[in-house]
Amino acid sequence: QVLVDIQDPERMKEMIEEVRVEYGQTIRQLEDMIKAGQSDYRICYLTFDDGPSSNTAEILDILKEYNVKATFFVTGKTGDMAEEMYRRIVEEGHTLGMHSYSHRYSVIYESVDAFAEDLTKLQSYLEEVTGVKPMLYRFPGGSSNLVSKTDMQDLIAYLHEQGIEYYDWNVACGDATGAALDAEDMVDNVMNDIPLYTNSVVLLHDATDKKDTVRALPDIITQLQEQGVALKALDETVEPVQHIKVEPTFIERDRSRN
């Protein structure tokens, strides 16, 4: 009977939600204990956006060296190097998430249909390359981005229709701000904000120009481990950090206007 339930998509969704609810209750209990000074247990999820690139290989090597699992929200890139990185992410036990195929805001945020086309293209491509169908998503610019021509509630509703969850972040190293930050600055940014949360989802990038992020990573990991912070990869049971949540009474709007 258990095998039948697991093979039933609707039952699988119910089981995931049950685990998420239980997980959320545990985290809330931990938060209360931390506030009361009874526990200092924390979890950190390192996430990397915009790859793969040559930096992705270095980051994977560092993660392997420190025995840490992370999450990669990737874009759509072709060629042997990119495909090798997608496969390495999966084969080395990390979570493969989606960050849009094109990463062109003007295209993916034009309409729900354009967003869906881009997402489907990336999801199908990644499944073809790795054998794994990714079900986690990070919006380019985050769910709170100010450039989307489409109501983000509509895009969130579409993701949920597909059984896909989206994850923003509550800690950022600062490598996407445009400021001239070096590796030490990035380490400080992460370590200053980690104590604020029981569950930290850290935003980093592994694009071609993010060499300082690669340099910062060993120190970030070392300092987190020294503080007893658990480093894990995101999965569908993790309560998501979201800048914008779908409204409880939200009714999907007529997509014909798009």
Side-chain angles (χ1 to χ4, degrees):
Q1 184 62 44
V2 173
L3 290 176
V4 172
D5 286 342
I6 290 177
Q7 292 170 2
D8 181 344
E10 291 304 316
R11 177 55 186 150
M12 178 63 78
K13 289 181 181 179
E14 292 175 4
M15 292 171 68
I16 290 172
E17 185 58 29
E18 288 169 2
V19 172
R20 177 176 292 166
V21 169
E22 182 177 350
Y23 180 87
Q25 291 173 342
T26 302
I27 290 300
R28 284 190 290 274
Q29 290 171 356
L30 278 171
E31 288 173 340
D32 291 340
M33 291 173 68
I34 289 170
K35 290 175 183 177
Q38 298 171 348
S39 174
D40 59 359
Y41 182 73
R42 299 178 187 278
I43 303 173
C44 176
Y45 302 92
L46 300 177
T47 67
F48 298 89
D49 289 9
D50 296 353
S53 76
S54 56
N55 286 329
T56 307
E58 292 187 61
I59 288 170
L60 287 168
D61 290 342
I62 292 168
L63 294 173
K64 179 183 289 186
E65 178 182 351
Y66 287 90
N67 193 28
V68 168
K69 304 305 179 187
T71 303
F72 292 80
F73 289 102
V74 301
T75 58
K77 298 181 181 180
T78 58
D80 293 342
M81 185 277 291
E83 292 184 3
E84 179 187 355
M85 291 304 100
Y86 296 137
R87 285 191 287 266
R88 272 196 67 182
I89 289 168
V90 171
E91 291 168 0
E92 294 179 16
H94 306 288
T95 296
L96 182 66
M98 299 175 287
H99 193 46
S100 81
Y101 190 95
S102 68
H103 206 264
R104 294 175 58 193
Y105 290 31
S106 61
V107 174
I108 62 177
Y109 290 138
E110 178 65 30
S111 66
V112 174
D113 288 340
F115 178 83
E117 181 179 354
D118 181 278
L119 183 149
T120 301
K121 183 177 181 180
L122 178 60
Q123 188 179 52
S124 298
Y125 175 51
L126 295 176
E127 185 175 18
E128 178 183 344
V129 172
T130 69
V132 173
K133 184 176 183 179
M135 297 299 289
L136 306 187
Y137 192 86
R138 174 167 285 161
F139 290 105
S143 66
S144 57
N145 78 82
L146 302 177
V147 299
S148 179
K149 297 179 181 178
T150 306
D151 191 322
M152 292 302 294
Q153 293 281 348
D154 288 330
L155 302 183
I156 291 168
Y158 171 77
L159 288 181
H160 287 170
E161 286 177 1
Q162 308 306 310
I164 297 170
E165 192 56 271
Y166 67 102
Y167 289 78
D168 288 312
W169 59 91
N170 52 13
V171 175
C173 76
D175 63 355
T177 62
L181 300 180
D182 60 20
E184 185 177 350
D185 293 325
M186 295 179 191
V187 174
D188 288 343
N189 285 341
V190 172
M191 299 312 301
N192 287 339
D193 285 350
I194 287 290
L196 302 177
Y197 307 99
T198 303
N199 259 18
S200 299
V201 179
V202 181
L203 174 65
L204 307 108
H205 292 79
D206 60 328
T208 304
D209 60 341
K210 303 302 180 183
K211 284 294 183 183
D212 278 319
T213 306
V214 178
R215 296 186 186 102
L217 185 58
D219 282 344
I220 290 173
I221 292 173
T222 298
Q223 291 189 35
L224 289 172
Q225 290 178 332
E226 288 175 350
Q227 292 185 14
V229 178
L231 292 162
K232 299 184 179 183
L234 292 170
D235 60 42
E236 294 175 349
T237 67
V238 176
E239 186 72 19
V241 171
Q242 296 172 336
H243 300 162
I244 294 178
K245 292 184 180 291
V246 66
E247 299 168 5
T249 58
F250 178 78
I251 299 176
E252 187 179 2
R253 298 167 178 84
D254 182 2
R255 292 180 181 170
S256 62
R257 62 188 173 90
N258 294 318

